[in-house]
Amino acid sequence: MLAARPSVAVPAAEPGVPNHVAIIMDGNGRWAASRGLPRALGHKAGADAVRRAIEASAKAGVRWLTLFAFSSENWHRPADEVRDLTALLRFYLRAEVAALAREGVRLRVIGERSRFGPDIAQAIEAAEATTAHGKSLNLNVALSYGARAEIAAAARALAEEARAGRLDPATIDEATFGRFLFTADMPDPDLIIRTSGEQRLSNFLLWQAAYAEFVFLDVLWPDFGAADLEAAIGAYRRRERRYGARGA
């Protein structure tokens, strides 16, 4: 069963500012290739862009930021690239945690963290504990994450609860199902941004994105900065969110 985490007392965003922004960080490899650099340096530049995105989100008044850092499909990449990515993850878990805690950022990881091995799993747990009291921004990092696998795992967990007699299948509704997802205590994203010009979700937050607004940016992720976030939020402000309640 996917264990629910304690809820977090973080105030909602100001009117006109998305409470929860999710970003599909795409383009590290193309950024490196366009400069004749190895892909590992593209991933490092992408990690630097993460820092800018966190700072810009906090400054803009965003309360929840979810970053798609490593998908379940990424395990199928060449072994040397996976090794470089996990080494970078290991480094930043150790190097950035103290700064996140000072800035009031609460870090949480969603996904199958156990696939990274015990050392990284322990580092993730330590980072979450160190930043647990942060109240300025909730930072969720999706690692070894795939939305279809998340939904399937939630369905299995619900089935186990029903088989054990702890849950009446007739009572299962959307709210019940949501409690078995990695994002059980998190608000759904208001705005989903994807960089690099691609226009698809790539198995990211499929359940949670039901009423999100989408902004697709041509910028490659390592070049992402505060101005790009501001432009995406500006586009969000200009839209009227109807949630299917009425037509145009």
Side-chain angles (χ1 to χ4, degrees):
M1 176 178 174
L2 300 178
R5 298 183 174 97
S7 59
V8 190
V10 176
E14 295 293 327
V17 176
N19 190 49
H20 184 175
V21 173
I23 306 178
I24 301 172
M25 306 181 295
D26 193 16
N28 291 348
R30 275 169 281 176
W31 183 91
S34 69
R35 291 162 173 76
L37 299 172
R39 290 179 68 88
L41 290 183
H43 293 310
K44 184 180 184 305
D48 295 337
V50 167
R51 164 51 60 185
R52 295 195 297 273
I54 293 170
E55 293 173 352
S57 297
K59 184 176 180 180
V62 173
R63 299 302 186 182
W64 296 77
L65 176 65
T66 298
L67 303 176
F68 198 12
F70 192 98
S71 75
S72 53
E73 289 80 11
N74 287 160
W75 291 108
H76 301 300
R77 291 188 177 187
D80 58 344
E81 184 176 357
V82 172
R83 184 174 59 251
D84 290 338
L85 282 167
T86 53
L88 189 62
L89 171 60
R90 186 180 291 109
F91 172 79
Y92 276 92
L93 278 171
R94 293 168 180 163
E96 290 290 326
V97 170
L100 293 176
R102 284 196 304 271
E103 294 161 12
V105 176
R106 182 181 186 182
L107 171 67
R108 293 188 290 180
V109 170
I110 60 173
E112 298 295 335
R113 64 181 71 185
S114 61
R115 292 194 65 179
F116 288 99
D119 65 324
I120 291 183
Q122 290 169 9
I124 290 171
E125 290 179 7
E128 290 178 329
T130 299
T131 63
H133 300 292
K135 296 186 183 298
S136 64
L137 176 71
N138 275 298
L139 172 63
N140 310 308
V141 180
L143 293 172
S144 190
Y145 173 85
R148 287 182 173 180
E150 176 189 28
I151 292 169
R156 287 194 300 272
L158 277 165
E160 288 293 336
E161 291 291 293
R163 183 169 65 176
R166 293 187 292 267
L167 178 67
D168 179 358
T171 67
I172 297 173
D173 56 13
E174 292 180 14
T176 303
F177 190 86
R179 290 198 294 271
F180 287 81
L181 298 171
F182 286 122
T183 56
D185 67 325
M186 305 177 190
D188 288 342
D190 302 292
L191 170 64
I192 295 179
I193 301 168
R194 180 167 187 152
T195 59
S196 85
E198 302 292 345
Q199 299 186 16
R200 59 182 180 274
L201 272 176
S202 295
N203 201 19
F204 180 55
L205 299 180
L206 298 180
W207 175 276
Q208 299 85 345
Y211 288 102
E213 298 293 327
F214 294 86
V215 172
F216 301 105
L217 302 175
D218 288 330
V219 62
L220 298 175
W221 177 249
D223 293 325
F224 185 91
D228 300 298
L229 180 68
E230 290 168 7
I233 291 176
Y236 170 87
R237 285 196 184 103
R238 292 190 292 274
R239 299 179 187 179
E240 181 182 357
R241 303 183 74 195
R242 300 189 180 95
Y243 301 98
R246 58 188 175 87

